[in-house]
C-alpha cells in the first residue's frame, strides 16, 4: 500500500517527472525522478494529506497540522513518526531512504512557522528508523 501511495504521489507531482534524454522522442517514455530535497519529498509524499500549507485537515479522520507544531522541537519524534508511522499515517522506512526522510523532517522543522533550525541528518534517521520486516508491512 505504501508503494502505491508513493507512486501515486510521484505521478501527481509534475516537477518530479521528465521525459527521457533530450525531450520526447515519440516513444512517450517518462522517467520519474526520486524526490531529493525536503521540499520535493514533502510535495511528493506528505502534502497530499498534510496539505500544501501543512495545516492538516479534518473530514473522515483528522490529519495533524505540521505548521506551528511544538512536537517538532525534538527531532526524534518526527523521525519516529515518518519512519514508523502513527495512527492512519504509514511509516516510510523502506519506501523513502534515510536521506529523504532526513530532508523531509528538516524541511517541516524549518518551514510552516516552525523554527527548529538544527538539521536532521541521515545518521540521525538511521539511529531511529528500522527497515521493514521481510514480507511484512
Amino acid at each position: 500500500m505504501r508503494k502505491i501511495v508513493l507512486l501515486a504521489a510521484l505521478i501527481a507531482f509534475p516537477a518530479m517527472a521528465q521525459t527521457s534524454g533530450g525531450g520526447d522522442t515519440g516513444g512517450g517514455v517518462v522517467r520519474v525522478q526520486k524526490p531529493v530535497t525536503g521540499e520535493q519529498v514533502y510535495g511528493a509524499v506528505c502534502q497530499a494529506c498534510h496539505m500544501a500549507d501543512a495545516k492538516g485537515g479534518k473530514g473522515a479522520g483528522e490529519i495533524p497540522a505540521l505548521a506551528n507544531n511544538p512536537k517538532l522541537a525534538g527531532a526524534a519524534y518526527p523521525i519516529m513518526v515518518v519512519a514508523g508511522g502513527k495512527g492512519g499515517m504509514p511509516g516510510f522506512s523502506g519506501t523513502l531512504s534515510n536521506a529523504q526522510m532526513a530532508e523531509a523532517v528538516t524541511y517541516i522543522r524549518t518551514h510552516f512557522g516552525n523554527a527548529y533550525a538544527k538539521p536532521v541528518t541521515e545518521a540521525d534517521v538511521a539511529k531511529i528508523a528500522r527497515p521493514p520486516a521481510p514480507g511484512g508491512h
Side-chain angles (χ1 to χ4, degrees):
M1 178 68 164
R2 285 184 247 175
K3 290 181 182 179
I4 293 170
V5 171
L6 178 59
L7 181 59
L10 288 173
I11 291 169
F13 192 67
M16 302 312 302
Q18 69 178 16
T19 54
S20 62
D24 187 5
T25 59
V29 176
V30 175
R31 265 188 303 199
V32 178
Q33 295 179 342
K34 290 189 325 182
V36 177
T37 68
E39 183 176 17
Q40 289 171 338
V41 174
Y42 185 85
V45 180
C46 313
Q47 179 174 298
C49 297
H50 291 282
M51 304 297 138
D53 60 5
K55 291 184 179 176
K58 293 182 182 184
E62 184 171 339
I63 298 168
L66 301 174
N68 300 305
N69 190 328
K71 290 182 178 181
L72 302 177
Y77 178 74
I79 292 170
M80 183 178 62
V81 172
V82 170
K86 183 174 180 184
M89 180 179 148
F92 290 96
S93 186
T95 303
L96 294 175
S97 69
N98 288 352
Q100 288 172 308
M101 288 188 277
E103 288 288 331
V105 172
T106 296
Y107 180 73
I108 63 170
R109 292 181 75 233
T110 57
H111 289 77
F112 311 113
N114 299 310
Y116 310 115
K118 184 178 179 197
V120 173
T121 67
E122 191 173 344
D124 294 333
V125 174
K127 291 176 192 173
I128 295 172
R130 301 282 184 253
H137 296 306

